[in-house]
Amino acid sequence: FPVLIAIIIFFFETESTLSTHTTGQDLLPDLMTLQPKDPSIIETNAGQKLLRFDNEVGNNHTGVLELFPQKIPKSGDIDDCNGDGNASNDRRAYQRIYQDKNNDGVFKRGVDKNSTTFEVGCMVYHPEHDHFHINDFASYELKDLSGTVVASSTKVTFCIIDIHRTWPNLPGSPNGPHYNMCNRNSTQGLSIGWSDEYPSTLAGQNINVTSVTDGDYCLVSTADPGNKLKESDDTNNSSAIKITLSGTTVTSYPNTP
């Protein structure tokens, strides 16, 4: 009889422990920056040299990255969250994190409905792209081979949508894009296994290297440099590529950071 009681107690304690660690677990994304591609230099009419390149950030985990704008209050008043003096062009941004209802570790739309939200910055209208961006989503640095930063971008804004299905074998990766709009009221994000690419030709996709001497450097791209977003791993948000600058010529060495 005492043994039976002990077995029953052990059973319920074990079930309780398992439930505590799995039911409602956060299904987090994991932002990974892919290696910058196709670097080149253009010279502006003002005599500046701009290092341009393609940048791509993906979600390599079994939770989604989902970001949505602040709802406009009935009063119509909204905050000037980026402090530029023009509240009509920005909205506070929030991250939605879903909980794992069926304990399978993979986000399933329509099944895992419970969620929590966190404020993560601003969505701001980008006049050159004519849609809304998430502020401070990426930063770019040019470093010499000792690791010293010789040139850098300001923190770069992104319209975050599903462009490429980069990791199709990830459990829960949808066959088609889910996040595909960047207007004032759109939810932005990255589905499981999908990435968002910014081509080198887009405005702001560059580093000013006018004062940088010719030589060998590392071009480093970092997603979420301020760690405002909640994700499963914050240590893999940067990627780099070795390049050589010579006048307006750029030689790159893919897969050799």
Side-chain angles (χ1 to χ4, degrees):
F1 183 73
V3 174
L4 179 58
I5 293 176
I7 291 174
I8 293 172
I9 292 173
F10 173 78
F11 175 81
F12 279 107
E13 286 183 344
T14 303
E15 286 295 299
S16 175
T17 301
L18 289 174
S19 177
T20 299
H21 286 281
T22 56
T23 302
Q25 179 179 348
D26 287 345
L27 294 165
L28 296 172
D30 182 17
L31 296 180
M32 290 186 65
T33 302
L34 282 66
Q35 198 171 56
K37 297 184 300 184
D38 301 327
S40 64
I41 286 180
I42 62 167
E43 291 186 288
T44 69
N45 293 333
Q48 294 181 326
K49 292 168 60 178
L50 302 180
L51 173 63
R52 305 194 302 179
F53 51 93
D54 285 8
N55 189 67
E56 189 167 355
V57 178
N59 174 20
N60 190 19
H61 207 247
T62 52
V64 296
L65 174 67
E66 189 165 286
L67 305 167
F68 63 96
Q70 160 197 19
K71 291 183 179 180
I72 298 179
K74 292 182 180 180
S75 65
D77 295 330
I78 56 177
D79 298 328
D80 178 18
C81 63
N82 67 346
D84 67 351
N86 185 4
S88 64
N89 281 339
D90 56 70
R91 306 271 288 280
R92 292 191 181 276
Y94 298 86
Q95 181 180 1
R96 180 180 289 115
I97 299 174
Y98 291 95
Q99 273 80 56
D100 191 0
K101 181 178 180 179
N102 58 357
N103 304 335
D104 64 351
V106 179
F107 172 70
K108 289 184 172 60
R109 198 169 297 280
V111 175
D112 301 312
K113 298 180 180 180
N114 292 336
S115 64
T116 56
T117 60
F118 301 87
E119 186 176 340
V120 292
C122 283
M123 284 187 179
V124 179
Y125 179 72
H126 195 295
E128 292 175 290
H129 293 189
D130 194 26
H131 53 218
F132 278 74
H133 285 194
I134 299 294
N135 259 13
D136 304 342
F137 184 70
S139 65
Y140 309 138
E141 296 176 316
L142 190 67
K143 297 182 178 182
D144 64 23
L145 298 189
S146 71
T148 301
V149 177
V150 297
S152 62
S153 70
T154 58
K155 290 180 180 177
V156 182
T157 67
F158 261 58
C159 157
I160 306 172
I161 56 175
D162 295 331
I163 298 291
H164 302 297
R165 196 181 181 203
T166 305
W167 299 284
N169 294 326
L170 267 179
S173 177
N175 292 328
H178 178 79
Y179 304 100
N180 55 16
M181 297 288 290
C182 290
N183 62 35
R184 180 182 294 272
N185 299 309
S186 294
T187 296
Q188 301 183 26
L190 290 172
S191 297
I192 295 171
W194 284 73
S195 61
D196 185 12
E197 181 179 11
Y198 260 38
S200 62
T201 53
L202 288 181
Q205 192 58 35
N206 58 67
I207 298 176
N208 188 329
V209 294
T210 306
S211 60
V212 176
T213 59
D214 290 349
D216 295 331
Y217 298 94
C218 284
L219 174 59
V220 184
S221 174
T222 301
D224 187 30
N227 288 329
K228 293 181 179 180
L229 303 175
K230 293 184 180 294
E231 52 178 314
S232 63
D233 187 353
D234 287 316
T235 67
N236 58 1
N237 288 19
S238 294
S239 184
I241 187 172
K242 182 181 176 181
I243 63 174
T244 298
L245 303 182
S246 178
T248 58
T249 301
V250 183
T251 305
S252 62
Y253 307 91
N255 303 315
T256 309

